[in-house]
RNA sequence: GCUCACGUAGCUCAGUCGGUAGAGCGCGUCCUUGGUAAGGACGAGGUCACCAGUUCAAUCCUGGUCGUGAGCUCCA
């Protein structure tokens, strides 16, 4: 074991005992080992160790450990389902990011009452504490077994296993499943679990296949962690941007106008304006120029760009204008290329960095639309950088730096960097030649290396025209969101025949970088609402200060105070309604206004206001000027 | 797009085993001028998503359409 002296044990000793022997187990009762790793390969604790090697415990609290216990929980659930619904056919039941699921072929969907019954049946399986027994069998035997059990999906899975693969079964009581493992050693070790929801899901994710019924659940190594997780789910519901969008009067969507189209109400529009102004200012500072381009263009343009061939299913049908066909733009890039080509470019002109808050329209299947996060019309914070090949790496670094700065400004602290590359098995899905793709990929990698950024490679995640750096940001609840994306593109410059005149007086091909930092104003705003739970920091808050008189007698004074704040560039308003102060405070608090200033006769006479902050509550009286300065400083610091 | 569920006042939701509807909040008017999270009274407001069908009669039953939600798949 790492960090321990070599131990000699008899061949055939179970892994768990070996671990115990070196006292790695039981040291931390909250996080006992759920499995082991022998020379890096995961094995069950009760599997015997036949030969020497490095043996490490896999703790329940580790990602791998949770995956194992969730996987076992999925088996427990499947056993419970089989008891209640003997005709249910098993499909697959893996562990996923925050839990597990299992797909079943049954004649009707599971109801919430079914889930309760299944959960109760799971408790019995857990109480019975069946040992999970691993068994390795030849393919023919596995086929015979699952055919005999009338489990057609399992049969299909066995058939599809590659030649020479180890086929293992796990049994618990009278339940048997095809599974690579590892698993907990007995069902009694599944301590804290909860079934969450049922939903339809296609066999193997393909809509041509039969629809199965999926049950989602989650499991943790302790009740406390499960409770925490369930609380987080509640919290996520409480923060839902669709709910907050309504409560805070930020945006709406209208059936009459069409689904997936966003109406930005004054308060939402104000937040957007602040974000956009900040965005423009920061881009100018970093050497970007800002441009505008049309919303429609002739079909010919989309044929040159390749969108017509590669992106058609996401574009709206052409509309006839005179004798021409025009299309609503799904992307801004061809327009920026038009502008590039409007004159002869010299190597001295490059790089050109052109940003646009460009509104695009994409057809999305109705089932995927979701609040602000998935819509049919949206404004991208798009930019295209045209540069020489030798500038590519530096430009990407510049973009990475900008991304970091923007994410920080909006309070996103953690992020993960992904390199999205082609699906190696399906290369014909992508435009452009092999060497062009490789060059683009190399440029992205070089920039990330220069930035000493660690990243994970996602195969098959690339767009049709080039590999990308995709940054996933984590919000206040630890949930991942699609953040900035950066793509190197050698393909469009080629298609459009873009050139610049080099030092040598000859024509050269520029490289193009597509990048977006926020993604789209819609999606970014949706994420931001949830990240801040609607309580925007002062610099973003649509109303920063609400001044509330105790009685009508202080109204004129309140108005004066409000004018002072407004004159200082702050967003302040007076609650003139004939209501008691408690009521006004409640409303302001529910509207998540950062500063509430209460004014009674005491404050009016002393030229003060009583400060009540959204976070801390009543903070006592202070001079108007002091409060004004405080709010101003907070806004300027973007805290 | 597909599967399932849902669609009743601006919002959250009751209700009608088929006889055209109700609460709370919000909104309006009035009373109240009250010191840190809901003062009171009165009032207005609904083609029960839309279109067909069954029925003496449909908000309720049936079918379709649109929309919403949870997923599948996809993505900024």
């Amino acid at each position: 074991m790492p960090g321990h002296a070599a131990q000699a044990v008899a061949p055939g000793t179970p892994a768990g005992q070996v671990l115990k022997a070196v006292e790695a187990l039981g040291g931390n009762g909250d996080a006992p080992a759920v499995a082991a790793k022998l020379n890096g390969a995961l094995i069950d604790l009760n599997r015997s160790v036949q030969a020497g090697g490095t043996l490490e415990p896999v703790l329940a609290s580790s990602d791998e450990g949770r995956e194992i216990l969730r996987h076992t929980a999925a088996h427990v659930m499947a056993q419970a389902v089989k008891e209640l619904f003997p005709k249910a056919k098993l499909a697959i039941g893996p562990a996923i990011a925050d839990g597990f699921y299992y797909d079943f072929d049954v004649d009707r969907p599971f109801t919430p009452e079914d889930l309760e019954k299944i959960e109760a049946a799971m408790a019995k399986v857990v109480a019975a504490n069946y040992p999970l027994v691993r068994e390795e069998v030849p393919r023919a035997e596995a086929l015979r077994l699952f055919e005999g059990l009338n489990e057609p999906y399992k049969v299909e899975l066995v058939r599809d296993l590659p030649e020479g693969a180890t086929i293992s079964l796990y049994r618990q009581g009278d339940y048997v499943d095809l599974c690579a493992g590892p698993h907990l050693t007995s069902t009694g070790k599944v301590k804290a679990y909860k079934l969450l929801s049922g939903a339809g899901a296609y066999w193997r994710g393909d809509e041509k296949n039969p629809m199965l019924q999926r049950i989602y659940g989650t499991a943790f190594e302790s009740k406390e962690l499960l409770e925490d997780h369930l609380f987080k789910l509640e919290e996520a519901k409480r923060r839902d941007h669709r709910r907050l969008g309504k409560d805070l009067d930020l945006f709406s969507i209208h059936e009459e106008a069409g689904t997936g189209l966003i109406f930005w109400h004054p308060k939402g529009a104000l937040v957007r304006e602040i974000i956009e102004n900040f965005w423009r200012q920061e881009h100018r500072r970093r050497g970007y120029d800002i441009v505008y381009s049309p919303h429609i263009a002739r079909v010919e343009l989309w044929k040159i760009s390749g969108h017509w061939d590669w992106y058609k299913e996401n574009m709206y049908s052409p509309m006839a204008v005179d004798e021409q066909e025009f299309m609503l733009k799904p992307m801004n890039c061809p327009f920026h290329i038009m502008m590039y080509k409007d004159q002869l470019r010299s190597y001295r002109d490059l790089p050109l960095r052109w940003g646009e808050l460009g509104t695009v329209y994409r057809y999305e299947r109705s089932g995927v639309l979701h609040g602000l996060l998935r819509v049919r019309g949206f404004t991208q914070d798009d930019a295209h950088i045209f540069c020489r090949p030798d500038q590519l790496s530096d430009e990407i670094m510049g973009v990475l730096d900008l991304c970091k700065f923007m994410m920080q400004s909006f309070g996103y602290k953690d992020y993960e960097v992904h390199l999205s590359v082609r699906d190696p098995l399906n290369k014909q899905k992508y435009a452009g030649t092999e060497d062009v793709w490789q060059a683009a990929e190399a440029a992205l990698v070089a920039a990330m290396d220069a930035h000493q950024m660690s990243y994970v490679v996602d195969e098959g995640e690339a767009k049709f025209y080039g590999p990308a750096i995709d940054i996933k940001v984590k919000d206040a609840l630890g949930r991942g969101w699609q953040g900035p994306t950066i793509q190197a593109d050698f393909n469009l410059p080629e298609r459009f025949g873009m050139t610049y005149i080099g030092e040598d007086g000859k024509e050269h091909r520029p490289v193009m970088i597509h990048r977006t930092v926020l993604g789209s104003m819609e999606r970014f705003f949706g994420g931001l609402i949830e990240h801040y739970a609607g309580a925007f920091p002062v610099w973003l808050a649509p109303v920063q200060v609400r001044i509330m008189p105790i009685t009508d007698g202080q109204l004129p004074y309140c108005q004066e105070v409000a004018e002072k704040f407004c004159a200082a560039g702050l967003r302040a308003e007076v609650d003139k309604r004939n209501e008691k102060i408690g009521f006004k405070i409640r409303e302001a608090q529910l509207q998540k206004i950062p500063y509430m200033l209460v004014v009674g006769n005491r404050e009016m006479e002393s030229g003060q206001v009583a400060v009540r902050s959204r976070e801390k509550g009543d903070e006592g009286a202070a001079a108007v000027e002091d409060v004004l300065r405080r709010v101003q400083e907070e806004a300027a610091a973007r805290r």
Side-chain angles (χ1 to χ4, degrees):
Chain A
M1 259 174 69
H4 288 80
Q7 284 270 336
V9 294
T13 309
Q17 276 186 31
V18 180
L19 289 171
K20 238 176 212 157
V22 282
E23 287 184 336
L25 270 179
N28 178 356
D30 291 337
V34 291
K37 260 190 189 173
L38 180 61
N39 296 326
L42 285 165
I43 59 167
D44 298 312
L45 283 181
N46 57 15
R47 262 174 91 180
S48 52
V49 176
Q50 295 296 350
T54 315
L55 191 68
E56 300 166 69
V58 175
L59 299 181
S61 55
S62 69
D63 287 350
E64 273 176 327
R66 276 201 190 138
E67 213 176 298
I68 289 162
L69 78 90
R70 284 170 182 164
H71 196 173
T72 303
H75 279 215
V76 169
M77 177 173 82
Q79 183 175 4
V81 168
K82 285 295 266 186
E83 272 166 25
L84 295 171
F85 304 88
K87 278 188 278 175
K89 302 203 182 352
L90 301 170
I92 54 165
I96 51 173
D98 281 318
F100 61 87
Y101 67 80
Y102 213 115
D103 287 345
F104 305 94
D105 190 347
V106 283
D107 0 321
R108 63 166 179 87
F110 294 109
T111 63
E113 295 75 57
D114 290 335
L115 294 195
E116 275 173 41
K117 283 186 204 140
I118 294 165
E119 219 174 79
M122 285 174 73
K124 282 192 208 153
V125 174
V126 170
N129 198 17
Y130 301 115
L132 277 98
V133 183
R134 180 187 170 94
E135 192 184 332
E136 291 181 9
V137 295
R139 185 180 304 255
E141 195 183 324
L143 287 174
R144 210 175 316 124
L145 174 78
F146 287 116
E147 273 162 9
L149 290 169
N150 194 19
E151 293 287 2
Y153 300 98
K154 293 294 176 191
V155 170
E156 192 178 327
L157 289 171
V158 173
R159 286 221 174 92
D160 289 353
L161 284 171
E163 192 82 22
T166 306
I167 298 179
S168 55
L169 307 175
Y170 277 82
R171 290 178 189 272
Q172 61 198 56
D174 55 4
Y175 174 83
V176 58
D177 205 342
L178 171 74
C179 187
H183 275 284
L184 304 182
T185 52
S186 69
T187 58
K189 298 210 160 69
V190 178
K191 293 259 185 294
Y193 57 89
K194 173 93 186 151
L195 300 188
L196 299 171
S197 59
Y202 299 103
W203 168 237
R204 298 193 149 171
D206 187 334
E207 63 192 29
K208 290 185 211 82
N209 286 335
M211 171 74 67
L212 307 173
Q213 293 306 321
R214 175 171 296 179
I215 300 176
Y216 283 94
T218 192
F220 282 85
E221 63 271 28
S222 72
K223 286 249 180 339
E224 292 71 41
L225 286 165
L226 175 66
E227 290 302 319
D228 270 9
H229 179 75
L230 296 177
F231 179 77
K232 244 185 180 179
L233 290 180
E234 285 302 310
E235 179 65 14
K237 234 184 254 171
R238 207 178 61 75
R239 288 173 179 236
D240 192 311
H241 73 280
R242 293 164 298 181
R243 178 77 255 147
L244 288 168
K246 174 83 195 156
D247 290 348
L248 304 181
D249 194 16
L250 301 172
F251 69 92
S252 59
I253 300 171
H254 299 273
E255 190 177 328
E256 302 91 310
T259 181
L261 302 171
I262 305 302
F263 290 72
W264 295 73
H265 294 200
K267 284 186 179 139
L270 180 49
V271 179
R272 173 169 169 175
E273 189 185 321
I274 295 161
I275 296 170
E276 288 184 352
N277 288 342
F278 172 63
W279 184 92
R280 287 194 189 93
Q281 183 194 319
E282 195 54 36
H283 278 71
R284 295 234 186 256
R285 203 193 304 255
R286 289 169 186 258
Y288 282 78
D289 291 308
I290 289 169
V291 300
Y292 294 96
S293 62
H295 287 195
I296 60 172
R298 290 174 52 200
V299 164
E300 277 62 32
L301 185 71
W302 304 109
K303 285 187 176 160
I304 299 171
S305 71
H307 287 91
W308 181 259
D309 290 327
W310 302 97
Y311 205 69
K312 212 173 178 179
E313 68 279 11
N314 284 293
M315 292 166 76
Y316 285 99
S317 316
M319 52 188 137
V321 181
D322 296 335
E323 303 295 292
Q324 310 273 7
E325 292 207 301
F326 283 75
M327 298 194 83
L328 216 38
K329 69 172 168 183
M331 293 188 190
N332 304 301
C333 20
F335 297 85
H336 294 183
I337 293 172
M338 292 292 101
M339 290 190 260
Y340 178 96
K341 288 186 60 173
D342 195 50
Q343 50 180 271
L344 204 56
R345 305 286 173 182
S346 152
Y347 72 97
R348 296 169 194 275
D349 299 333
L350 304 182
L352 287 171
R353 305 187 190 101
W354 289 348
E356 174 172 6
L357 293 163
T359 304
V360 298
Y361 291 87
R362 297 185 188 171
Y363 171 73
E364 299 284 354
R365 299 161 95 190
S366 60
V368 305
L369 299 172
H370 182 87
L372 291 175
L373 303 181
R374 197 68 188 278
V375 296
R376 284 180 171 163
F378 56 95
T379 300
Q380 286 182 303
D381 71 308
D382 207 0
H384 295 98
I385 299 171
F386 303 103
C387 65
R388 306 189 304 259
D390 64 286
Q391 294 170 321
L392 183 56
S393 184
D394 276 354
E395 286 305 313
I396 291 173
M397 277 166 62
V399 174
L400 286 170
D401 195 64
L402 170 63
C403 292
K404 256 185 176 165
F405 172 77
M406 293 292 269
M407 291 303 107
Q408 274 163 13
S409 301
F410 290 102
Y412 292 106
K413 294 187 179 75
D414 295 332
Y415 52 87
E416 266 174 27
V417 183
H418 295 250
L419 178 66
S420 298
V421 298
R422 284 176 297 178
D423 177 355
L425 302 172
N426 202 1
K427 288 192 177 173
Q428 68 280 7
K429 247 173 59 181
Y430 305 91
T433 62
E434 184 67 29
D435 29 318
V436 152
W437 272 82
Q438 281 178 7
E441 214 172 296
L444 295 178
V445 168
M448 284 192 290
D449 287 347
H451 243 68
Q452 285 159 340
M453 279 179 138
S454 54
Y455 57 90
V456 288
V457 177
D458 288 344
E459 284 185 345
E461 292 296 307
K463 308 281 144 46
F464 75 85
Y465 52 84
I469 295 172
D470 285 306
I471 299 180
K472 295 201 166 76
V473 300
K474 286 207 171 156
D475 74 2
L477 289 188
R479 296 173 301 171
W481 295 80
Q482 176 64 55
T485 69
I486 307 163
Q487 289 155 281
D489 184 356
F490 295 89
N491 178 44
L492 284 181
E494 188 76 39
R495 283 177 166 271
F496 279 94
M498 297 168 74
T499 57
Y500 67 87
I501 306 301
E503 230 171 331
D504 56 6
K506 296 193 180 115
E507 286 192 343
H508 297 267
R509 188 76 77 214
V511 188
M512 186 173 174
I513 299 168
H514 308 250
R515 44 109 289 185
T516 154
V517 180
L518 308 178
S520 74
M521 300 313 296
E522 285 74 9
R523 180 177 284 181
F524 186 74
F525 188 43
L528 204 62
I529 293 169
E530 302 206 359
H531 177 54
Y532 287 125
F536 294 109
V538 169
W539 75 287
L540 289 170
V543 178
Q544 296 168 316
V545 175
R546 185 178 281 177
I547 302 152
M548 305 181 283
I550 304 266
T551 72
D552 292 352
Q554 298 90 34
L555 257 177
Y557 174 75
C558 286
Q559 211 76 55
E560 271 173 49
V561 173
E563 273 158 28
K564 276 186 194 158
F565 275 82
C566 292
L570 294 167
R571 300 182 288 275
E573 59 184 31
V574 180
D575 188 343
K576 296 180 214 140
R577 295 175 304 172
N578 176 12
E579 295 291 351
K580 290 194 180 177
I581 197 65
F583 182 84
K584 291 179 185 174
I585 285 170
R586 176 183 156 79
E587 297 250 298
Q589 194 78 44
L590 289 174
Q591 285 296 306
K592 302 176 193 275
I593 295 169
Y595 285 99
M596 291 155 266
L597 305 183
V598 177
V599 175
N601 281 329
R602 291 204 297 272
E603 288 77 17
M604 190 165 76
E605 279 153 23
S606 58
Q608 292 184 307
V609 289
V611 179
R612 185 190 168 93
S613 74
R614 179 175 62 192
E615 279 78 24
K616 294 196 193 118
D618 192 356
E619 295 185 24
V624 174
E625 319 305 327
D626 292 344
V627 179
L628 199 153
R629 209 169 313 119
R630 170 177 170 184
V631 179
Q632 236 172 357
E633 277 165 18
E634 199 176 323
R638 287 196 279 273
R639 264 185 282 123

